Amino acid sequence: MNQLSLINGFNSRGRSAPPASLQTGAHTYLDKRVTKSQIENKRTRSQRARERIQTKGHLTRLAVGLGEVELGDKIDRCHSRLSVLTCGRHIARIIPNYTCEFRLCPDCGRRRSRRLQSKYLPMMSAFMLYNRVTPVHLVLTQTHRAETRKQSIGRIKDAFTRLQRRVFWNEHFKGGTWSLEFTKDKNGLHHTHLHIIGFRRKFFDIELLRGEWLAATGDSHVLHLKPILDIATGLQEVVKYVSKPLDIRRFGAGDLREFLGLKNMRMFGTFGEFRDFCKNFEPSDNDAACGELESLSRDLVEGCACPQCDAPLFDLRMSKNELPQFYEQIEASSPDRVRKRAH
Ligand SMILES: [Zn+2]
Ligand SMILES: [Zn+2]
């Protein structure tokens, strides 16, 4: 199969319609809470591109203010010049001049979360099929205390470790993934949440889980649980917090200093039997296709056919400040055909 037919084959199969075997039924205690990512999805790509520029400008100024001139310079240079492969109506690929890899950089975070999705989606799908488990999105919260971010993270992670040792947990969950989300309230208290994709063995009463979380934390029973109907979307929602663990626009110099002190803090991980499964997982040809979109778009060069309309791609060079405007042009010309998952 040549590259184009692979791409077309992939598109026609579509990412948004998983096989029926991967879909789970509706449950009674569906959480109606509007998640951060649902709000984000309503904004256009041009708006989001503009926000990323603002966020990076803010981070650069904070870094320079703290005397972290080198870091400020890296963030400023990251994605400052772009090679955009486009047919004029779609963007097939964006190649940046430089990537800073700073954990709070919104451009680098997006790439990191796409890498996580490509890596974990095939493993999750295989794990679910093999073990006949259904995924749920669980958000664990804790009481607010006057403490540092590091203490807040340590406290919730320790409580989660205790939860995993409990009989109830092991009877009902067969492992999963976790990621961290940080927020800060107007009183300056850190709120740390754990977002968990849990592979559920069997149905249970949420009140029992609240009781277990209370036993693990000593003082918190607040959690949210909702079924994941499509694992690709569920994973996408959870890894979003890896690229964007907090609202950086409300971030001050002290927050950045504190964050720089968290250097080796992990933001995403696996647990339980899913963790062992990932260590030994070897993708079959079919599984590999799940993560292939990324590598296919990586092979595209000028002159290739646009994966969405077959028109030839050309290489447009622009600065980061010109990108939102280019998105706007594309949105105006083909509002319904904007590719959801691309840049
Ligand atoms: Zn970056
Ligand atoms: Zn096109």
Side-chain angles (χ1 to χ4, degrees):
M1 220 190 307
N2 68 27
Q3 186 183 323
L4 181 61
S5 59
L6 262 175
I7 294 169
N8 286 338
F10 193 91
N11 282 344
S12 65
R13 278 199 302 278
R15 290 184 66 82
S16 55
S21 53
L22 295 186
Q23 293 177 358
T24 54
H27 295 297
T28 47
Y29 46 76
L30 183 65
D31 194 321
K32 297 274 168 19
R33 196 175 70 115
V34 177
T35 63
K36 203 162 108 185
S37 58
Q38 281 167 328
I39 298 168
E40 267 162 23
N41 285 341
K42 286 194 186 129
R43 298 203 304 277
T44 60
R45 289 191 300 173
S46 52
Q47 285 169 328
R48 279 180 281 157
R50 260 200 194 95
E51 282 169 18
R52 286 198 297 279
I53 293 170
Q54 286 162 3
T55 300
K56 287 172 83 164
H58 182 58
L59 274 176
T60 304
R61 285 188 294 277
L62 285 179
V64 171
L66 285 178
E68 299 277 350
V69 179
E70 202 183 322
L71 174 64
D73 181 53
K74 275 182 170 181
I75 301 168
D76 190 45
R77 264 195 300 145
C78 174
H79 283 237
S80 57
R81 302 285 317 164
L82 306 163
S83 150
V84 179
L85 273 180
T86 175
C87 64
R89 288 168 57 215
H90 310 107
I91 294 178
R93 187 185 177 193
I94 296 181
I95 307 160
N97 59 330
Y98 172 75
T99 56
C100 70
E101 300 300 336
F102 180 52
R103 294 168 79 182
L104 296 178
C105 167
D107 285 317
C108 293
R110 275 152 50 85
R111 278 204 328 284
R112 197 163 21 216
S113 70
R114 277 200 298 272
R115 278 201 298 268
L116 283 175
Q117 287 175 65
S118 308
K119 180 179 173 188
Y120 284 98
L121 187 57
M123 296 198 253
M124 288 182 154
S125 305
F127 187 77
M128 284 158 54
L129 285 172
Y130 187 80
N131 293 293
R132 298 173 189 280
V133 283
T134 53
V136 289
H137 181 174
L138 177 63
V139 187
L140 297 173
T141 75
Q142 61 186 359
T143 49
H144 313 146
R145 289 186 197 163
E147 60 192 348
T148 63
R149 195 180 301 278
K150 195 173 180 176
Q151 286 165 336
S152 175
I153 293 167
R155 183 155 66 94
I156 201 162
K157 279 184 152 183
D158 287 349
F160 183 50
T161 302
R162 285 192 293 275
L163 181 69
Q164 286 177 76
R165 291 198 188 114
R166 297 184 66 82
V167 175
F168 177 89
W169 182 265
N170 286 296
E171 271 175 8
H172 292 88
F173 286 101
K174 210 175 172 66
T177 66
W178 58 265
S179 46
L180 287 167
E181 179 193 5
F182 318 119
T183 57
K184 212 173 183 185
D185 66 17
K186 50 184 182 298
N187 303 316
L189 292 178
H190 295 294
H191 299 192
T192 307
H193 300 161
L194 266 178
H195 286 264
I196 288 166
I197 292 183
F199 293 111
R200 187 171 56 184
R201 298 173 193 263
K202 54 184 174 186
F203 201 79
F204 54 81
D205 181 349
I206 192 170
E207 293 310 319
L208 292 175
L209 184 59
R210 286 190 207 284
E212 292 291 314
W213 183 233
L214 179 62
T217 55
D219 57 6
S220 175
H221 62 275
V222 181
L223 52 84
H224 307 279
L225 180 74
K226 61 175 183 178
I228 291 174
L229 303 176
D230 162 22
I231 188 67
T233 315
L235 176 61
Q236 192 179 18
E237 194 174 307
V238 166
V239 297
K240 230 164 223 174
Y241 298 105
V242 179
S243 66
K244 216 183 213 179
L246 35 76
D247 185 359
I248 294 162
R249 280 164 299 171
R250 293 199 327 211
F251 215 53
D255 295 304
L256 180 60
R257 194 186 299 113
E258 195 176 35
F259 195 84
L260 291 173
L262 297 176
K263 258 186 185 122
N264 298 315
M265 182 71 73
R266 291 191 60 199
M267 316 273 276
F268 180 91
T270 52
F271 64 88
E273 286 181 42
F274 182 61
R275 185 186 194 143
D276 300 328
F277 185 84
C278 292
K279 280 184 201 148
N280 302 316
F281 181 74
E282 289 206 20
S284 66
D285 292 348
N286 252 354
D287 296 327
C290 288
E292 238 169 38
L293 187 61
E294 197 83 339
S295 58
L296 285 173
S297 89
R298 213 177 290 139
D299 293 336
L300 290 174
V301 292
E302 193 167 27
C304 282
C306 168
Q308 291 175 89
C309 71
D310 283 352
L313 296 171
F314 53 94
D315 181 3
L316 211 56
R317 300 285 164 137
M318 61 180 78
S319 77
K320 67 176 167 197
N321 294 320
E322 290 166 313
L323 183 64
Q325 213 181 338
F326 186 60
Y327 274 133
E328 263 167 20
Q329 281 174 25
I330 286 180
E331 283 155 8
S333 67
S334 54
D336 295 324
R337 303 208 50 187
V338 172
R339 190 167 145 205
K340 226 180 141 194
R341 199 174 162 271
H343 276 267

